[in-house]
Amino acid sequence: MIRGTLALCTAVVLTAALATPPVQACTSMLVTKGATTDGATMITYNADAHELYGELYYTPAGRHRPGAQRDVIEWDTGKLLGRIAQAPVTYTVVGNMNEHQLTIAESTFTGRKELEAPAGIVDYGSLIYITLGRARTAREAITVMTKLVAEYGYASTGESFSIADPNEVWLMEMIGKGEGNKGAVWVARRLPEGTISAHANHARIRQFPLNEPDTLYSPDVISFAREKGWYKGADKDFSFADTYNPLGFEAQRFSESRVWSIYRRAAPSLGLGPEYADGSAPDKRLPLWIKPDRQLTVQDAMALMRDHFEGTPLDLAKDVGAGPYAAPYRWRPMTWEVDGKKYLHERAISTQQTGFTFVAQMRAWLPAPIGGVLWFGVDDTATTVYTPMYAGIRKVPRNFAVGVADRGTFSWDSSFWVFNWVANQAYARWSDIVVDVQKEQRALEGGFFADQAEVEKTAVEKYRRSPEAARKYLTEYSVRQGEKVHAHWRRFGEQLLVKYIDGNVRDASGKVDHPRHTDSWYRHIVRDTGKRLLVREAPPVATPATKPAPTPAPKPGADPRKG
């Protein structure tokens, strides 16, 4: 996710033109192996920002001479923050997963304003990708990340990090110490087996055990808050989230609501009502993790990331803002004022400004290059196709690759642009076109899952003879699938344009139809227009009065006085 990762194995300094903007509206879910049907661990991630260009970053492994350094390029701005010592050996990184199946994702919670602009040269994005190049396990990743910010200083605001390997899943939250102060305070917790968790731009770790191996924290995480006057209670009652990122109405409505929507769908038996999300009960707090009602598949994880609060009081398709085709999207700004009052639009997990998304699947019983699959997609989760990219691949499909295009220039070679083109057609006529989109998603993703076992069986056989042969096979497979999805989605977009051109709906035989809107939408029109559009009965046409029939002329020779 960080442009600066390209400098991991080279001395390249990336220009500002390659910079990506702040990603401060992301959603991530964490799933332990005890909560999945196949015993895999999983992390999901939506990288959301209105200026983010979605692409699949790739950094090859490298060996580096003693004394080598690497540039730290701030992801949000493209600015060179400084240089740090390079590791002697770095690992291959595909997107947010490395060759050992270690995966890291994030969401920005910002936190207290007093803690903005800390002194340091390692921003949160660089922290992720430097660590992926240096760590093999989740615990090792936490050690690497916290040592980096201690030595070089942290350069960002508050972050929640999802960190997982094939065996352990951790949530770590970190925030800098404010202007002029080096380092950061942080806490990390391992999820108990059989549970899931999520975060979405708000800190979620509250109280935590002070003496157990599955909880780690900075030595000054509590004392620093005491020095600032933000906490005065007993250590055992200290809450990281409530101290460093207090929950307000908008945070509950925009952030906790997304966590709630994952929880409500994964564990309906818990009966978590909308009061956990709508701001009506500020004291209601979601648990840090839950046990799902049933174990999850990769497809379940994808479905949970394709969410618009359907079937809840927050359902985006249910008010006039959804338009005649029940679009579960709202263009920004998120908050707005009218007639002296402030209002908001809901913020769902699935959103139009996603740059890229993934579901990371990590499996301990397979060789790492085969066990790790980054199911990768670009743009909106509701309209993307998750495509398998294996941890052991040596290159990525060109349509996903860095440098093929950018956010400011449309390109048919870029999957980001092709998927956005289709999605923007869908937004205009959502209730109709989403049916077509889901049909194509099921066909493509279903094919990947149907083939997965055989693909991996072949890869394992090759790996036994030659690990490099397995990597080559998986590279060819992953590249081929990426290219197939790209070509298919472009053809699909062309078909949509033909089918729905100018408001028509054309069936398979070419016949044009004009289906009516819903009654609820017509009622909206009536309420807005009153009687202006009412079709009135025409008055009866007036007919002239009946005239008396003329008297016939008498026959010749007849006496007119008779008869």
Side-chain angles (χ1 to χ4, degrees):
M1 199 171 69
I2 310 304
R3 304 281 186 167
T5 59
L6 293 177
L8 276 173
C9 297
T10 67
V12 175
V13 176
L14 300 178
T15 66
L18 288 179
T20 59
V23 176
Q24 297 179 349
C26 305
T27 307
S28 180
M29 180 174 68
L30 308 89
V31 186
T32 61
K33 60 185 180 180
T36 62
T37 56
D38 65 353
T41 60
M42 292 192 291
I43 284 179
T44 70
Y45 181 49
N46 289 357
D48 302 336
H50 293 275
E51 293 294 330
L52 179 63
Y53 175 72
E55 54 197 348
L56 181 58
Y57 309 115
Y58 176 78
T59 305
R63 294 183 178 276
H64 310 281
R65 69 184 183 278
Q69 292 193 318
R70 59 148 289 162
D71 295 337
V72 179
I73 309 294
E74 187 174 31
W75 179 34
D76 292 349
T77 65
K79 176 184 176 182
L80 175 64
L81 296 180
R83 294 173 67 79
I84 67 172
Q86 180 60 284
V89 176
T90 53
Y91 307 126
T92 297
V93 181
V94 180
N96 285 57
M97 178 186 286
N98 75 12
E99 62 182 286
H100 301 292
Q101 305 187 67
L102 173 67
T103 302
I104 307 176
E106 59 77 37
S107 74
T108 301
F109 64 77
T110 303
R112 285 184 174 273
K113 191 169 183 61
E114 301 97 317
L115 299 181
E116 293 180 4
I121 63 169
V122 181
D123 65 293
Y124 73 98
S126 299
L127 191 59
I128 291 174
Y129 286 88
I130 293 170
T131 300
L132 285 170
R134 300 182 180 198
R136 298 169 64 99
T137 69
R139 285 180 188 262
E140 187 179 354
I142 293 168
T143 298
V144 170
M145 295 171 82
T146 55
K147 283 186 175 180
L148 282 169
V149 298
E151 182 176 358
Y152 297 105
Y154 188 50
S156 297
T157 57
E159 287 289 328
S160 299
F161 296 100
S162 299
I163 308 170
D165 60 37
N167 294 301
E168 296 188 348
V169 179
W170 288 74
L171 173 62
M172 181 170 75
E173 297 191 320
M174 175 183 290
I175 191 167
K177 295 183 177 181
E179 188 171 1
N181 294 314
K182 189 178 177 182
V185 291
W186 56 271
V187 60
R189 300 202 67 185
R190 181 188 175 188
L191 272 63
E193 281 307 326
T195 67
I196 69 171
S197 186
H199 54 90
N201 308 118
H202 195 273
R204 303 213 56 246
I205 299 176
R206 302 182 72 203
Q207 286 79 20
F208 52 90
L210 299 176
N211 187 24
E212 69 166 38
D214 289 340
T215 299
L216 306 172
Y217 51 92
S218 60
D220 59 346
V221 67
I222 301 175
S223 60
F224 181 75
R226 291 188 190 281
E227 291 170 11
K228 294 291 185 179
W230 299 330
Y231 184 69
K232 296 180 180 179
D235 285 2
K236 65 181 179 61
D237 297 323
F238 177 77
S239 166
F240 182 92
D242 295 324
T243 301
Y244 292 115
N245 188 208
L247 183 71
F249 175 84
E250 290 186 15
Q252 191 173 28
R253 195 64 174 259
F254 294 148
S255 299
E256 288 292 277
S257 60
R258 285 176 272 158
V259 176
W260 165 76
S261 208
I262 288 173
Y263 283 8
R264 72 173 178 91
R265 294 176 64 193
S269 65
L270 294 178
L272 298 173
E275 67 273 12
Y276 285 90
D278 63 12
S280 64
D283 293 334
K284 290 273 191 178
R285 301 298 292 271
L286 293 166
L288 183 57
W289 47 62
I290 63 166
K291 183 176 181 179
D293 285 357
R294 61 178 177 81
Q295 292 176 318
L296 304 179
T297 64
V298 172
Q299 297 96 314
D300 291 331
M302 293 173 180
L304 288 169
M305 300 305 285
R306 289 170 167 155
D307 183 86
H308 305 100
F309 300 123
E310 285 89 349
T312 78
L314 278 61
D315 192 335
L316 281 145
K318 298 302 183 183
D319 64 67
V320 67
Y325 296 105
Y329 297 91
R330 300 295 181 273
W331 309 147
R332 279 16 181 193
M334 291 287 292
T335 58
W336 38 280
E337 292 187 15
V338 63
D339 298 330
K341 293 184 178 180
K342 186 176 181 179
Y343 298 87
L344 58 79
H345 292 308
E346 306 297 353
R347 197 320 193 169
I349 294 169
S350 193
T351 185
Q352 64 270 16
Q353 75 266 20
T354 299
F356 66 86
T357 176
F358 66 74
V359 175
Q361 180 185 21
M362 295 150 281
R363 296 164 294 176
W365 64 93
L366 288 167
I370 305 168
V373 188
L374 195 77
W375 296 88
F376 181 79
V378 288
D379 195 38
D380 188 341
T381 55
T383 56
T384 198
V385 172
Y386 286 103
T387 307
M389 297 288 126
Y390 279 84
I393 62 178
R394 297 301 196 191
K395 67 176 182 178
V396 302
R398 184 174 183 274
N399 47 287
F400 290 148
V402 172
V404 171
D406 58 46
R407 189 65 169 75
T409 308
F410 182 89
S411 171
W412 287 117
D413 296 328
S414 161
S415 286
F416 173 82
W417 280 113
V418 169
F419 273 85
N420 267 277
W421 172 55
V422 171
N424 278 270
Q425 290 188 65
Y427 297 151
R429 193 165 186 144
W430 183 259
S431 56
D432 290 337
I433 294 181
V434 71
V435 177
D436 300 293
V437 168
Q438 291 171 346
K439 179 182 177 182
E440 300 303 317
Q441 283 175 328
R442 286 192 297 270
L444 288 166
E445 292 174 354
F448 298 146
F449 288 114
D451 294 342
Q452 187 176 9
E454 188 61 31
V455 168
E456 292 171 359
K457 178 183 176 182
T458 301
V460 168
E461 291 171 354
K462 290 180 178 293
Y463 190 88
R464 287 174 182 150
R465 297 192 300 270
S466 166
E468 192 55 40
R471 289 176 180 270
K472 182 175 184 294
Y473 169 74
L474 291 173
T475 299
E476 292 172 352
Y477 173 77
S478 295
V479 168
R480 189 164 62 248
Q481 304 323 303
E483 292 172 345
K484 179 176 76 173
V485 165
H486 180 83
H488 184 108
W489 219 246
R490 179 171 175 178
R491 289 193 303 272
F492 173 51
E494 293 166 352
Q495 293 162 3
L496 287 178
L497 185 60
V498 171
K499 181 176 181 178
Y500 294 101
I501 191 170
D502 296 335
N504 300 319
V505 180
R506 192 181 300 271
D507 65 21
S509 68
K511 180 183 177 182
V512 171
D513 190 16
H514 302 101
R516 73 191 303 277
H517 296 311
T518 62
D519 286 348
S520 62
W521 180 251
Y522 285 124
R523 291 188 185 106
H524 279 306
I525 296 175
V526 171
R527 284 194 292 270
D528 286 348
T529 61
K531 294 183 178 181
R532 180 168 63 85
L533 302 180
L534 180 67
V535 176
R536 297 172 176 82
E537 290 286 339
V541 178
T543 55
T546 303
K547 296 179 180 179
T551 303
K555 295 179 180 179
D559 185 347
R561 293 172 297 178
K562 296 180 178 179

